Amino acid sequence: MVNLSPAVAVDLGVDPFGGRGVLVTAVGDDSLAASVGVRPGDLVRQVNGRDVATTADLQAALAAGRGSWRVILQRGDQQITGSFTL
């Protein structure tokens, strides 16, 4: 995961004007993210109603979720919402 910036977006072939968020750059084959369909190129916009603009925001939101998360991803022009519990 990386903070989305215009330079990163251009390097990865993502819309540099797509807004703020955390870009998924890789997903481990055996990871929870892979098992729920998260893909490289997805942009994490929100976790549990908290906007995610940086990797620090994402870490804080995931930690506050305590095993239950509602995540909003942007994939191209599509917004995807999912709820996950461990």
Side-chain angles (χ1 to χ4, degrees):
M1 303 247 177
V2 296
N3 295 328
L4 184 62
S5 69
V8 168
V10 169
D11 286 347
L12 297 174
V14 176
D15 179 4
F17 304 104
R20 296 179 59 171
V22 173
L23 186 68
V24 178
T25 57
V27 178
D29 291 337
D30 296 328
S31 68
L32 174 62
S35 71
V36 298
V38 175
R39 300 180 192 164
D42 287 349
L43 188 61
V44 181
R45 296 286 193 180
Q46 277 189 0
V47 175
N48 293 343
R50 296 171 68 173
D51 288 339
V52 173
T54 66
T55 55
D57 292 343
L58 179 59
Q59 288 177 321
L62 292 173
R66 300 176 194 225
S68 181
W69 305 276
R70 183 174 185 270
V71 179
I72 297 177
L73 300 174
Q74 187 79 33
R75 181 178 294 155
D77 294 333
Q78 184 179 23
Q79 186 173 348
I80 302 166
T81 302
S83 296
F84 312 99
T85 303
L86 288 179

